Every structure is written in C-alpha cells, then in structure tokens.
C-alpha cells in the first residue's frame, strides 16, 4: 500500500490553523503530525513548504458541456481544470444536450467523471423537464440516483405556481432546489447590466430588478413551504440584502457568488468584447462592495465559479450574438485570495466546507484534516504570483476575462480520493 | 485618425476640421465633373450587414468622387449566410488588400470589434443603437451652413424628438451638437428614453409644445412600428398626437428654425405635415451634404497631403 505524505505546510480547516504533516493511505488520512519536529515519512512526498494544506474545494456551479457541446469542454477537460484549481468536487449544471432530467443522463455524467478520475463530478438535476419550465422533472428517481441539487440554471423558473409545486413535491426527498433568478420578461435581448453604461453603449440592459424580483418571490415560497433553496450567482446589492434578511428570519436559504461578480464591473463591456458577457451580467462597484460584505458576514455561503466554457469562435461575435459565460475553475482561488480581504479560514469556508454541505457531500468533501477522514485535499501557495495566460489553461475553451492579469495564490498539489491528481501545478491525469 | 467609430472619440476641433474639409468637398461636388484623384489606388469596401440603400450609396458616391476603388459586400450575397464568422469574413476580405471598411451592422460595437482583425481603417456607418458618426457630422454641417454657424453652436437650442432609446443617430448627434456648444433637449415618452441619462449633457422634456417657439433646430427621429410590440407605445396615433410634427406645431416654429430628419421618414407618424411645404425643412440638404461629409471622412483617413491636393480634377 502506498503511503503519501504532505510535508512542511500549514493546515487550515474548520478546526483552525496549525503546522503539520499529513499522511494518506488507501484514500484516507491516516496520520496528522501536528507541531512535531520529526517530519512524517512515506513512499511518496508532496512538498508543502510555504503552502496551506486544506480540504479540497467544492464548486457548486460548473458547466462541463458534455453531453452536447464537447467542442467547448468535456467532462475530462473540465475535471482537469477543476483539479488544477484545487477542486475535488464539482456540481455539473444540467443545461447539457440532452438536459440532465433523466437517470440515464445523470448516470452518464457521473460515469464520465469517474473515467476522468480527476475530481468527483456531481450531476445536478433539472427542476423542470428539458429546463422548459412546464413540467416537474422526476425528482424521486433522480434523487434515488444520487442527485442532490436541482436547478434549471440558465433559465429561471418563471411560473410561480410551478415553483411552489416543485418545492412542495421536493419536501420529503431532502433535496435542494437552486434558482437562477431572472424574470425573463424583464431581460428580453439583454446583454449587459442596465445602467448608464449600457445606455451610452447602445446595448439592451438586464436590470437588477429582474434578479431581485424572482429572489424575493422564492424567499417567500421558502417561507410558505419550509423547503430549503439555494440561490445561484447573486449579482446585486439588493439581492445580498434580501438573502441577509431571509437568513435573519431563520429561513433555510443559502447563496453563492462568483469571482467575476465580485471583481469586474459593467464598464468592461466598453470594449465590446464578448468575453465580458455573462448571465447575470457584471454589475457596478456598489454591487461588488455589497457582495464582498455578504461574503465576509456569512450572508453568502459559497464562492462558485459558474465556469462556462465557450468555443473561441462563438465569443468572437457581436455582444448580442455571443453566448454568455466565462471560465472560472482555474482562477477562483487566486481571485478570492487576491481580491477578498478576508481571513484565510473564511476564504476556505466559502470554497470548501460550506459548498460541500450545500451539495450534500459533507461526508466526503470539505472534511477536517484528521486521521480517518477521506483524503480530498488541496495544497496551495497563498503568496505565489502568476499571470493568467488563456492558452495555458486546461479548459478546452479560452474565454477567461482575466487574460494578462497577475494574481496571487496558486494550487501546488491536489489530492483526490487519496491520489495526487495535481503535483507541482501539473495535472497527472 | 485611424478609424471613425464614434463621435465620442472626436474633439470639437476634430469636428471643425472635418466640417472645413467638407466645404472643399462641396466645392468638388459642384464641379461639372465632380471627381478628383485624391484616393486613386485606394480600396474602399462597403460591408453592410444590415440593409441601408441610402447610406451605402452615399459612401459609394463619396469614394468614387475621390477616385477610390469600391467594392460592395452585402450580406445576402456573402458567405455570412453560410455560417462564416464575422472574424473570418473580415480576415478573408482584408487578405485581398483593403484600405478602408465602411461597416454597417445591426449589433452595437461590431465596427469596434472588427478593428481587432484587420489593419484597414474602419468607418462606422451605423452600429445597432450605438453610433452613426457620419450622420452626426452631416447634421452638424447642415446646421452650420444653414444657420451660418462656422465657429460653433454656442447658444443654439436643438430638440431631438422621438425614439432616443433605440437610436444611434440620437447618441451621435447629442455628442456632436453638445461638443460644438449647442443646448440639446431630448423629447420623448419615458419608454423611448435610455434607462439612464447619467453623463448625457442634455435636458429632457415630455412636452414638445412648450419648446417649439424657442427652437433653432427641430430634429425628428423615425419611430418604428415594432415599438408597439414591446409595449413602449400605446399606438402610433397617440405618438403622433403628442410628439408628431403637425401643421399646428410647424406654425409655431420660429421662422429661421430648421426641421431635420435622418430618414427614412414615417409620413403621418413623426412627420404629419408635408415636409415639402415646410420652409425650414433641410431634410434633402442633409442627404446632399452626406456625400461631401463622407468624402471628407474618407480623405482624412486615407488621403495624403493637405486639402489643397484635392484641387485638380481627375
């Protein structure tokens, strides 16, 4: 049996921070040598000098494009990007073709993830069949097949009655419904945030209200039904306030924010470069400040990337024709470290154990680093500076809005199910 | 100046220089043989991804009067309909040797995107709701000559009436008129204004009648029938009653006031009165001046030497 040891790092998990070496055997942590002078030894050593050793990250929101759009990404290339970003589990959004509204499709997605072997790919299910907003998807069958998070992401569920029924039906299953908040009648043709910038650029606007209105409706549905909901990619200041209020009232709601929404503003669209087109759109500096405050005070539970690969030629189109979305898996940690002025343990809560709980995988991801725990780990250097070069990314696509940006914080090793899948910043599979 | 993408990129001095050059081009156009060799050997390609007979013809005439070679690339006859990307289209035509692209596109920002894929000059001939800079220049030239305002528009009162929200002409005209010193009022129902006017140096009114007597220029925009489908207007009849130029309203204009329109007009909607019976109408002059202004733009981007070099006939 191979014994893998991670030496010289600083462990940070939900229990706190300490210097320590970690030994892994057969998929589990077998020994943690805290504050000992004698380093642990093993058959294989991962050097963590100057690094933080933490539970692996969990991304609640990735688009892996398979099946249906393999020219943009496959489950294998997306899993590799995830592993390089320090993620050991990702929730695959259901807007594939065919959509993830049947056991056959979610099983396929899970198996492709297992074949790639780089992280755990957790298929989400649709709220409605085909994400069309008309009929409930078979939550019972999908839940029995291991699906925990259900969403029509890319579309908000427009029909209030249908959304109410979805929550009621979901109640005994213990699943979580996740909403892409967008009242579509307010965003017809919209390509960017509605405000002074879109008015000057002559582009149709996506008003903050379109998000906030559905978020408000769904919070009230949670109040009515008592069924938990998760809110995807909050983008506005008022959304943060609505969730803060709901939590203060004790409602079972959780929320995520993406790195691009807390780092970039709508003024990026002045370039008319479709790499900055995303849904919901980039907002204003006031919204960024509110998102950061929400990440700091626990209103927002998780950082999720909304990793959305698109083939280069589709992004080389005018803004109204290009698809929305940005890459995120390989830059998330660095953006959180560089742009959020938060204690490292808080950053890791947002990236690891909080989303693990929302995704229903808290039994194996985001665990404390102790003997007997599953070995899904990330080792990263919080001070290493690196420059984002699109061609060097593992994703099949190149649509990162951070090309040329120098960021701080780089993943050195990722251990998934006890095996090193990234070593020295290089994917081994 | 490498490209003409937006009036936003032009200073008041830039605009004045182009208008002075337009004077030369008007003179050239008035000759028995209105043609000079200034751009001989230059290849000007019209890339119209959206129909526009008048703007395309105007640019084409301008280029020919300067002896440039011209080529028309209309979308219906191109491989764009076969799924070729904008980038591939631009790179392919550029490879044939192009000095300037005149670009009309239904998407805001398309001309700016195109600059990434070619070394040719780009002239924006209208992009989405965004900009139509040569229209703004020909509008400035028309006001300048008719109201004898060679030194600028200080103190001029201009109302732009109609669908401001969806209008590239309005965005360009607001910037050009105010840069030259005019006082601009936008007149429209709130549904046809942009969601935010932060940073626009304009006033807004919903009461055309109260403005009419003080105006030096009344600029009407086309109001399109499809606006009713988006619940922006109850009916064209109501628009016409509140914002259209009726004979009653026309009679209240000052005698020197100009009436302008970028065309094509909607008779009976924004233009209820017959414009041929309006003494202040300069709508056809706008079209005429369009050719000279576009000659000035093409010469500025592609020509060598001074305006004097356009003196001799071809």
């Amino acid at each position: 049996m191979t014994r893998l040891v991670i030496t010289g790092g600083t462990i940070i998990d939900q229990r706190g921070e300490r210097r320590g070496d970690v030994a892994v055997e057969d998929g589990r942590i077998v020994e943690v040598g805290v504050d000992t002078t004698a380093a642990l030894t093993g058959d294989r050593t991962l050097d963590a000098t100057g690094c933080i050793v933490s539970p692996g990250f969990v991304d609640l929101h990735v688009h892996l494009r398979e099946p249906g759009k393999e020219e943009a990404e496959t489950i294998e290339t997306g899993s590799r990007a995830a592993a390089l970003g320090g993620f050991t589990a990702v929730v695959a959004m259901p807007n594939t073709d065919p959509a993830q509204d049947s056991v056959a499709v979610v099983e396929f997605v899970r198996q492709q993830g297992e074949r790639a072997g780089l992280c755990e790919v957790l298929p989400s299910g649709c709220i409605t069949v085909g994400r069309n907003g008309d009929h409930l998807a078979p939550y019972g069958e999908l839940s029995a097949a291991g699906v925990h998070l259900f969403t029509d992401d890319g579309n908000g569920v427009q029909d209030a009655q249908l959304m109410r029924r979805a929550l009621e039906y979901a109640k005994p299953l213990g699943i979580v419904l996740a909403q892409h908040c967008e009242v579509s009648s307010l965003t017809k043709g919209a390509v960017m945030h509605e405000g002074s910038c879109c008015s000057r650029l002559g582009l149709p606007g996506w008003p903050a209200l379109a998000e906030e209105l559905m978020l408000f409706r769904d919070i009230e549905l949670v109040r009515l039904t008592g069924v938990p909901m998760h809110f995807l990619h909050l983008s506005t200041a008022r959304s943060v306030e609505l969730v803060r209020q709901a939590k203060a009232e004790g409602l079972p709601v959780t929320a995520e924010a993406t790195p691009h929404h807390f780092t970039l503003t709508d003024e990026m669209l002045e370039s008319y470069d479709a790499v900055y087109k995303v849904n919901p759109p980039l907002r204003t500096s006031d919204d960024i400040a509110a998102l950061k405050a929400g990440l700091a005070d626990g209103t927002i539970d998780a950082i999720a990337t909304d990793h959305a690969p698109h083939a280069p030629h589709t992004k080389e189109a005018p803004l109204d024709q290009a698809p929305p979305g940005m890459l995120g898996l390989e830059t998330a940690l660095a953006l959180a470290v560089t742009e959020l002025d938060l204690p490292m343990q808080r950053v890791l809560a947002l990236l690891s154990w909080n989303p693990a709980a929302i995704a229903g995988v808290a039994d194996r991801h985001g665990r404390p680093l102790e003997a007997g725990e599953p070995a899904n780990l990330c080792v990263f250097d919080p001070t290493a500076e690196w420059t984002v070069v699109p061609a060097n990314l593992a994703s099949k696509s190149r649509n990162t809005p951070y090309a040329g940006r120098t960021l701080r914080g780089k993943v050195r090793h990722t251990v998934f199910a006890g095996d090193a899948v990234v070593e020295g910043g290089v994917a081994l599979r | 100046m490498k490209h003409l993408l937006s009036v936003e990129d032009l200073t008041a001095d830039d605009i004045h220089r182009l208008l002075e050059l337009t004077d030369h081009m008007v003179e050239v156009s008035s000759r028995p043989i209105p043609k000079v060799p200034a751009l001989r050997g230059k290849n000007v390609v019209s890339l119209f991804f959206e129909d526009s007979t008048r703007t395309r013809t105007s640019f084409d005439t301008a280029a020919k009067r300067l002896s440039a070679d011209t080529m028309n690339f209309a979308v219906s006859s191109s491989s764009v309909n076969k799924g070729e990307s904008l980038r591939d289209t631009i790179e392919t035509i550029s490879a044939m040797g192009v000095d300037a692209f005149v670009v009309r596109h239904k998407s805001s920002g398309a001309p700016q995107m195109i600059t990434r894929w070619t070394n040719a000059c780009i002239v924006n001939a209208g992009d989405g709701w965004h900009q139509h800079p040569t229209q703004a220049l020909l509008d400035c030239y028309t006001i300048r000559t008719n109201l004898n305002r060679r030194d600028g528009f200080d103190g001029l009162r201009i109302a732009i009436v109609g669908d401001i929200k969806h209008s590239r002409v309005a965005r360009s005209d607001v910037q050009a008129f105010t840069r030259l010193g005019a006082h601009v009022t936008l007149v429209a129902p709130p549904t046809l204004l942009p969601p935010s006017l932060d940073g626009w140096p304009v006033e807004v009114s919903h009461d055309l009648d109260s403005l009419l007597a003080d105006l030096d220029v009344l600029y009407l925009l086309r109001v399109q029938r499809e606006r009713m489908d988006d619940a922006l207007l109850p009916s064209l009849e109501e628009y016409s009653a509140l914002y259209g130029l009726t004979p009653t309203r026309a009679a209240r204009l000052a005698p020197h006031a100009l009436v302008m329109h970028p065309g094509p007009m909607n008779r009976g909607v924004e233009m209820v009165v017959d414009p041929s019976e309006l003494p202040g109408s300069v709508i056809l002059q706008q079209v005429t001046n369009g050719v000279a202004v576009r000659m000035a733009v093409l010469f500025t981007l592609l020509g060598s030497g001074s305006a004097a070099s356009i003196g001799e006939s071809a």
Side-chain angles (χ1 to χ4, degrees), chain B residues 270-281:
Chain B
E270 71 270 7
M271 189 65 79
V272 182
V273 66
D274 182 346
S276 66
E277 291 173 8
L278 276 176
S281 168

Side-chain angles (χ1 to χ4, degrees), chain A residues 199 202 270 272 316-317 320-321, chain B residues 87 106-108 130 171 196:
Chain A
S199 298
E270 282 171 10
Y272 286 102
E316 285 172 347
D320 56 332
Q321 291 162 27
Chain B
R87 179 183 182 158
K106 67 175 170 54
S107 300
S108 298
H130 178 223
R171 281 181 180 76
S196 166

Side-chain angles (χ1 to χ4, degrees), chain A residues 188 194-196 198-204 270-273 315-321, chain B residues 8 86-87 105-110 112-113 116-117 129-130 171 194-196 198 200 230:
Chain A
K188 238 188 333 177
E194 179 179 294
S196 57
C198 85
S199 298
R200 187 171 72 250
L201 297 175
L203 292 165
E270 282 171 10
S271 64
Y272 286 102
D273 188 335
K315 280 288 196 181
E316 285 172 347
L319 279 170
D320 56 332
Q321 291 162 27
Chain B
E8 212 167 353
L86 182 58
R87 179 183 182 158
H105 204 291
K106 67 175 170 54
S107 300
S108 298
Q112 187 172 321
M113 292 191 76
R116 307 200 322 241
W117 304 315
W129 308 344
H130 178 223
R171 281 181 180 76
S196 166
D198 280 357
W200 293 44
D230 296 334

Side-chain angles (χ1 to χ4, degrees), chain B residues 53-195:
Chain B
T53 313
R54 60 177 66 209
T55 305
R56 200 184 64 226
T57 310
S58 181
F59 268 107
D60 205 46
T61 307
K64 287 190 163 110
R65 284 189 182 165
L66 295 171
S67 303
D69 296 319
T70 60
M71 188 169 90
N72 276 315
F73 181 94
V75 173
S76 53
S77 61
S78 76
S79 24
V80 169
N81 283 346
K82 298 173 198 156
E84 188 178 66
S85 77
L86 182 58
R87 179 183 182 158
D88 289 341
T89 301
I90 297 302
E91 290 183 344
T92 303
I93 304 177
S94 289
M96 298 174 197
V98 175
D99 297 292
F101 283 112
V102 175
V103 181
R104 162 69 62 96
H105 204 291
K106 67 175 170 54
S107 300
S108 298
Q112 187 172 321
M113 292 191 76
I114 287 172
T115 61
R116 307 200 322 241
W117 304 315
T118 177
N119 291 320
C121 305
I122 305 294
V123 183
N124 182 358
D127 63 324
W129 308 344
H130 178 223
Q131 283 278 327
H132 194 354
T134 59
Q135 178 73 45
L137 290 168
L138 72 89
D139 289 337
C140 287
Y141 188 78
T142 304
I143 294 169
R144 177 183 188 259
T145 49
N146 280 283
L147 296 181
N148 198 20
R149 288 292 196 134
R150 299 184 65 83
D151 298 328
F153 293 175
D154 283 341
L156 274 191
R157 304 189 74 84
I158 302 176
I160 302 177
V161 184
D163 186 357
I164 314 289
K165 180 185 169 99
H166 304 96
S167 174
R168 54 187 169 228
V169 174
R171 281 181 180 76
S172 296
D173 274 349
V174 163
Q175 287 168 354
F177 294 165
T178 55
R179 229 151 261 198
L180 295 184
H183 181 276
V184 174
T185 305
L186 302 179
V187 187
T191 48
L192 294 182
L193 287 171

Side-chain angles (χ1 to χ4, degrees), chain A residues 66 75-76 79-80 107-119 121 416 429:
Chain A
E66 183 181 353
I75 289 170
E76 183 191 329
S79 296
R80 192 169 294 122
E107 285 301 336
F108 169 78
V109 169
R110 190 195 312 282
Q111 282 166 15
Q112 289 295 82
E114 284 166 4
R115 272 185 207 117
L118 286 149
C119 63
V121 175
F416 168 57
R429 289 178 185 166

Side-chain angles (χ1 to χ4, degrees), chain A residues 322-340:
Chain A
M326 302 173 166
L327 300 184
L329 283 165
E330 292 170 79
T331 47
L333 168 71
L335 289 161
V337 169
T338 309
E339 300 270 349
L340 296 177

Side-chain angles (χ1 to χ4, degrees), chain B residues 206-254:
Chain B
H206 310 296
D207 181 6
L208 179 58
D209 291 308
S210 69
L211 300 171
L212 285 170
D214 295 328
L215 291 178
D216 299 294
V217 177
L218 174 62
Y219 199 106
L220 303 173
L221 297 171
R222 176 180 169 79
V223 172
Q224 289 175 313
R225 195 161 286 280
E226 56 256 39
R227 299 302 166 224
M228 252 79 59
D229 302 337
D230 296 334
L232 295 169
L233 288 175
S235 72
L236 289 183
E237 290 71 26
E238 170 147 326
Y239 177 83
S240 194
L242 295 177
Y243 299 96
L245 184 57
T246 58
T248 320
R249 290 200 175 106
R252 297 184 53 200
L253 288 167

